[in-house]
Amino acid sequence: MAESTNPNLSKQMIYSVFVRNHSREGTFAKVEEDLDRIRDLGTDILWLMPIHPTGKVERKGEDGSPYAIADYWKIDPKMGTEEDLKHLVQSAHEKGMKVILDIVFNHTSPDSKMVQEYPEWFYRDEDGKPYPMFREWSDIVDLDFSSKALQEELIRILKHYASIVDGFRCDVASRVPASFWKKPERPATQ
């Protein structure tokens, strides 16, 4: 989390891409084929909406919401591979654009890998089941940031994708504690 925002960013144009709906194929490769047109619109930053697989439990619509993430460590195979993502980012860079990724750290799908492996990382109801803070968001369950292990896992995820993209758009960032966004970088232990 930046203490202040570079004022030059206000002069940058962001183009949002929902990969799975950007073309019939819904792939990184098809977005890459469209980069010249996107750049020629005056785009400085390509914003990729969530690229992870979506959950199946309580899914809204046939494909589900891209914000109901099943596994942060995986890329939706319908969109392509991590190598395809890296190639798209490289191509965008060659055309003078940066790439940011929509990161969703407020919640996951009810059947996410995290729910299955670490149910204690979620807010739970009186029966011990993870739940959404906003009941109308029935296709997600909310993360509980009181868990230091959760925070460490999310930082690992951020670092992984930061090695690929130029930055992030953080979905529902205001529901994630500011203390998480301001966590100082710790040196690696030997």
Side-chain angles (χ1 to χ4, degrees):
M1 178 174 168
E3 291 295 322
S4 62
T5 301
N6 181 336
N8 291 332
L9 284 174
S10 68
K11 298 178 177 106
Q12 301 280 294
M13 188 179 96
I14 298 175
Y15 186 93
S16 175
V17 174
F18 185 17
V19 175
R20 77 178 191 207
N21 286 4
H22 189 75
S23 65
R24 283 195 174 138
E25 295 80 3
T27 63
F28 296 127
K30 284 298 184 180
V31 173
E32 188 173 340
E33 288 177 16
D34 197 24
L35 285 179
D36 285 331
R37 183 191 67 81
I38 293 169
R39 180 203 55 216
D40 291 347
L41 294 170
T43 301
D44 301 294
I45 302 168
L46 189 67
W47 160 24
L48 300 178
M49 291 177 67
I51 60 170
H52 309 289
T54 60
K56 292 180 176 35
V57 171
E58 299 293 334
R59 180 178 268 189
K60 292 184 177 180
E62 186 177 324
D63 294 321
S65 167
Y67 294 90
I69 293 173
D71 189 343
Y72 292 110
W73 289 103
K74 293 187 177 172
I75 291 175
D76 186 335
K78 294 176 188 171
M79 294 182 197
T81 65
E82 188 168 297
E83 288 308 311
D84 295 330
L85 172 62
K86 289 176 181 178
H87 199 271
L88 169 61
V89 172
Q90 178 184 347
S91 294
H93 287 169
E94 289 169 1
K95 295 177 186 307
M97 293 179 284
K98 294 194 179 296
V99 179
I100 63 173
L101 180 61
D102 213 334
I103 201 78
V104 183
F105 279 177
N106 179 63
H107 52 262
T108 72
S109 68
D111 57 338
S112 72
K113 182 176 180 186
M114 277 188 181
V115 168
Q116 293 168 26
E117 294 180 4
Y118 304 101
E120 69 276 11
W121 289 359
F122 294 82
Y123 288 107
R124 293 179 302 279
D125 64 18
E126 55 279 350
D127 296 325
K129 288 179 52 184
Y131 71 95
M133 299 296 261
F134 299 105
R135 297 296 180 181
E136 61 272 14
W137 293 4
S138 59
D139 61 337
I140 60 99
V141 290
D142 282 287
L143 290 160
D144 179 356
F145 275 79
S146 67
S147 169
K148 291 192 187 307
L150 165 66
Q151 292 185 39
E152 289 171 6
E153 176 69 357
L154 295 178
I155 289 168
R156 281 191 292 276
I157 292 163
L158 277 174
K159 285 180 176 181
H160 173 73
Y161 289 104
S163 72
I164 299 170
V165 299
D166 302 295
F168 303 98
R169 180 265 179 189
C170 302
D171 185 62
V172 198
S174 62
R175 301 266 316 146
V176 175
S179 59
F180 171 79
W181 298 122
K182 293 181 177 185
K183 261 190 186 310
E185 176 66 33
R186 292 187 207 115
T189 55
Q190 302 273 328

